């Protein structure tokens, strides 16, 4: 019979992805003893099956597309991409799915790592195998999300790809069906089409990237089609089978599509199924609602940070929440009862509501922060959208021939600040932080006139947007 060992810490963190790592970093910096529990690889989804591998696949694709826009360089990059070299480069960025470096980082901040499946067994108590960890101040659930597959008969036998297989595959399928119209679907369609797959993109809704301004999805769909992908909107999958290695997809319109692989990018669910939530009065498998300090509603000690709380399913936003949560845990552990929890305070994740930035690394890139026009109107703000054709900016013309893109700022007409900004076009991902600063800082339109963009850069679109607001 194995004897159970009980070890006490100030903080126990469930999940060692970027979010859990940042919670641990902040609590350790505050002098709190911290245990981190991880059942897979330290570094989490982002490091091995999401952000890093997907962008490693996409970067050569985007670089080639940009080069093809330039006279004198265009002819030199007409050949196909070296898929084997790109996949090997992707493997390098995932450290070949080994987490030694990340484990070393955790050790360096003084956090203790426990490998295995962590489960709550009651208030402030986590079991990992035969070890029981108790938390004096906080348990932080940072377990993220998993891909959701649709309820189609026989789908398991088909062996479909999810985002994990799409970012870690070691060879290029000749034909790939991608189901979905969001970020994962559009990015992976972009990558695999350029790497040599014939991609068919099946989108149930009317367009792509439906959480952004409508023109974002329109421009990305147009570019995917121009690259050779078959983009079908208003289309659902009725059945999927695999025979002799070939995937056969039948749509609700009766079309029959054959492929070598099929990727479902149709949603995410929280990894809370087997965390022992029922032992603390919560529903297993549920999202965990939190206040702005990331503390679970109704609890004094349980925090849910990152994707698992469904506030903003983005790595950078989860890390932001982790910094806020870490500061709040440390403050409460020191006896502070009056937290700085008002809007934009040190213990409030206000940006989750008002200023979430995101870049979609397609060609063209789509980048947005804050509220779309529709969201701002639904929130009751009196707003006006100001649009500018990005090709009118000198820096865009220099970036490449045939540059195509669009910019929008959503202006609050009563407060004369920006509620949201969207850019679509090659290279616009690097513009979005300036927009994020403007939205978070609630910079008055009158002051933005004094933020002079350098000439000739694509950033000069800011001047064009201000002129359009003034003149219309």
């Amino acid at each position: 019979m194995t004897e159970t060992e009980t070890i006490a810490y100030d903080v126990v963190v469930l999940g060692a992805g970027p979010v859990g790592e940042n919670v641990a970093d902040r609590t350790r910096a505050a002098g709190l003893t911290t245990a981190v529990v991880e059942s897979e690889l330290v570094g989490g989804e982002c490091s091995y099956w999401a952000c890093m591998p997907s962008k490693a696949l996409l970067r050569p694709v985007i670089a080639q597309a940009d080069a093809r826009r330039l006279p004198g360089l265009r002819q030199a990059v007409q050949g196909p991409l070296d898929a084997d070299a790109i996949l090997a480069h992707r493997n390098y960025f995932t450290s070949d799915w080994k987490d030694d470096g990340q484990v070393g980082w955790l050790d360096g901040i003084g956090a203790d790592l426990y490998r295995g499946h962590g489960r709550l067994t009651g208030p402030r108590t986590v079991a990992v195998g035969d070890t029981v960890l108790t938390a004096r101040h906080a348990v932080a659930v940072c377990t993220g999300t998993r891909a959701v597959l649709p309820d189609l008969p026989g789908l398991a036998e088909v062996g479909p790809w999810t985002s994990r297989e799409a970012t870690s595959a070691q060879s290029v399928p000749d034909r790939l069906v991608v189901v979905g119209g969001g970020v994962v679907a559009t990015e992976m369609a972009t990558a695999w089409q350029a790497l040599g797959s014939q991609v068919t993109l099946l989108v149930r809704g009317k367009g792509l990237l439906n959480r952004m301004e409508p023109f974002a999805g329109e421009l990305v769909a147009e570019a995917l089609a121009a690259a050779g992908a078959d983009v079908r909107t208003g289309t659902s999958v009725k059945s999927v089978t695999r025979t002799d290695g070939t995937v056969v997809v039948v749509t609700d319109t009766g079309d029959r599509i054959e492929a070598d692989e099929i990727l479902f990018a149709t949603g995410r669910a929280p990894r809370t199924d087997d965390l022992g939530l029922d032992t603390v009065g919560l529903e297993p498998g549920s999202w965990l609602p939190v206040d702005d300090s990331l503390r679970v509603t109704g609890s004094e000690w349980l925090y849910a940070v990152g994707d698992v709380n469904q506030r903003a399913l983005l790595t950078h936003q989860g890390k932001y929440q982790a910094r806020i949560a870490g500061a709040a845990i440390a403050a409460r552990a020191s006896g502070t009862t009056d937290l700085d929890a008002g809007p934009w305070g040190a213990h409030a994740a206000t940006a989750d509501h008002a200023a979430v930035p995101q870049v979609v690394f397609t060609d063209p890139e789509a980048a947005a922060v804050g509220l779309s026009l529709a969201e701002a109107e639904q929130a009751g703000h009196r707003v006006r959208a100001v649009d500018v054709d990005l090709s009118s900016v000198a820096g865009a013309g220099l970036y490449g021939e045939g540059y195509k893109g669009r910019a929008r700022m959503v202006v609050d007409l009563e407060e004369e600040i920006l509620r949201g900004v969207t850019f679509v076009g090659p290279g616009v991902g690097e513009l979005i932080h300036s927009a994020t600063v403007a939205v978070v800082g609630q910079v008055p339109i009158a002051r933005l006139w004094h933020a002079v963009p350098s000439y000739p850069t694509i950033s000069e679109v800011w001047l064009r947007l201000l002129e359009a607001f003034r003149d219309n």
Side-chain angles (χ1 to χ4, degrees):
M1 183 174 179
T2 304
E3 185 177 346
T4 300
E5 180 183 17
T6 300
I7 307 172
Y9 287 90
D10 292 323
V11 180
V12 176
V13 179
L14 290 173
V19 175
E21 288 177 327
N22 274 267
V23 171
D25 181 56
R26 292 298 82 211
T27 56
R28 285 298 301 129
L32 301 176
T33 59
T34 302
V36 180
V37 182
E38 176 55 57
S39 61
E40 294 187 291
L41 296 176
V42 175
E45 204 80 9
C46 175
S47 298
Y48 306 103
W49 301 287
C51 316
M52 295 306 290
S54 65
K55 281 30 174 202
L57 291 173
L58 285 160
R59 179 62 196 134
V61 175
I62 304 305
Q64 184 186 53
D66 285 342
R68 286 177 172 175
R69 295 184 178 100
L70 293 170
L73 184 56
R74 183 178 298 124
Q75 295 306 315
V77 292
Q78 284 305 311
L81 291 166
D82 185 339
D84 289 341
I86 290 171
L87 294 177
H89 185 61
R90 182 274 320 272
N91 293 352
Y92 168 79
F93 268 95
T94 61
S95 303
D96 290 307
W97 290 272
K98 297 175 183 175
D99 63 1
D100 300 19
Q102 303 267 26
V103 171
W105 180 87
L106 267 184
D107 184 60
I109 66 169
D112 292 341
L113 173 64
Y114 291 83
R115 288 195 182 272
H117 181 69
R119 237 181 144 269
L120 289 162
T121 56
R124 304 175 189 264
T125 306
V126 173
V128 190
D130 295 321
T131 302
V132 174
L133 308 175
T134 60
R136 299 182 188 92
H137 299 294
V139 173
V141 178
C142 309
T143 49
T145 59
R146 56 176 174 80
V148 173
L149 289 170
D151 185 17
L152 289 170
L155 185 59
E157 288 72 37
V158 172
W161 280 8
T162 67
S163 53
R164 283 198 168 194
E165 290 77 20
T167 55
S168 63
Q170 296 297 319
S171 61
V172 179
D174 291 333
R175 300 161 299 174
L176 174 66
V177 170
V178 179
V179 184
V183 177
V184 172
T186 54
E187 288 191 345
M188 290 298 93
T190 299
W192 289 107
Q193 177 70 35
L195 288 171
S197 291
Q198 174 54 56
V199 170
T200 301
L201 183 62
L202 304 180
V203 187
R204 183 172 58 184
K206 295 180 179 179
L208 309 183
L209 303 176
N210 61 12
R211 294 188 178 183
M212 287 185 162
E213 299 284 8
F215 64 81
E218 292 166 7
L219 287 170
V220 170
E222 182 182 317
L224 276 168
D230 181 2
V231 180
R232 308 186 191 186
T233 57
T235 303
S236 297
V237 175
K238 185 177 179 180
S239 69
V240 184
T241 55
R242 188 187 289 269
T243 305
D244 298 328
T246 298
V247 175
V248 178
V249 180
V250 178
T251 71
D252 58 348
T253 57
D255 292 334
R256 185 178 185 275
I257 306 165
E258 292 189 353
D260 300 287
E261 301 292 349
I262 182 168
L263 162 63
F264 282 94
T266 49
R268 310 287 298 180
R271 290 180 181 271
T272 59
D273 307 76
D274 189 23
L275 291 184
L277 293 182
D278 54 310
T279 68
V280 294
L282 297 170
E283 183 69 28
S286 65
W287 300 97
L288 297 176
V290 295
D291 62 20
D292 273 0
S293 73
L294 290 310
R295 191 164 59 176
V296 172
T297 304
S299 177
E300 295 296 316
W301 56 272
L302 186 63
Y303 292 73
V305 193
D307 288 5
V308 76
N309 61 38
Q310 207 182 13
R311 285 165 67 105
L313 276 64
L314 296 159
T315 295
H316 50 270
Q317 211 68 20
K319 291 163 71 173
Y320 160 73
Q321 292 178 14
R323 295 189 292 271
I324 299 293
I329 291 168
R332 288 177 174 132
S334 71
T336 300
T337 56
D338 186 18
L339 268 61
D340 183 8
W344 309 112
H347 305 121
T350 310
D352 287 348
H353 309 298
V356 174
Q358 181 174 19
V359 179
V360 185
F361 292 86
T362 45
D363 177 39
E365 291 176 346
V369 65
L371 305 179
S372 66
L373 174 62
E375 289 169 339
E377 290 175 339
Q378 289 166 7
H381 301 295
R382 191 167 70 87
V383 293
R384 176 156 67 91
V386 180
D387 290 355
V388 167
D389 183 345
L390 264 169
S391 67
S392 67
V393 178
L398 290 167
Y399 193 92
E401 286 186 340
Y403 189 103
K404 192 170 185 178
R406 186 171 168 185
R408 167 174 288 181
M409 65 180 187
V410 178
V411 181
D412 187 311
L413 298 175
E414 294 180 354
E415 298 190 35
E416 293 201 345
I417 60 174
L418 304 185
R419 291 293 177 184
V421 182
T422 299
F423 301 117
V424 183
V428 299
E430 295 299 336
L431 293 182
I432 201 62
H433 193 60
S434 59
T436 302
V437 171
V439 172
V440 170
Q442 299 181 334
V443 181
I445 290 286
R447 180 60 61 87
L448 283 175
W449 279 101
H450 297 281
V452 183
S454 298
Y455 182 88
T457 66
I458 301 176
S459 293
E460 201 181 11
V461 69
W462 278 107
L463 181 54
R464 300 286 88 82
L465 285 165
L466 292 171
E467 290 169 342
F469 176 68
R470 177 195 62 194
D471 297 339
N472 293 291

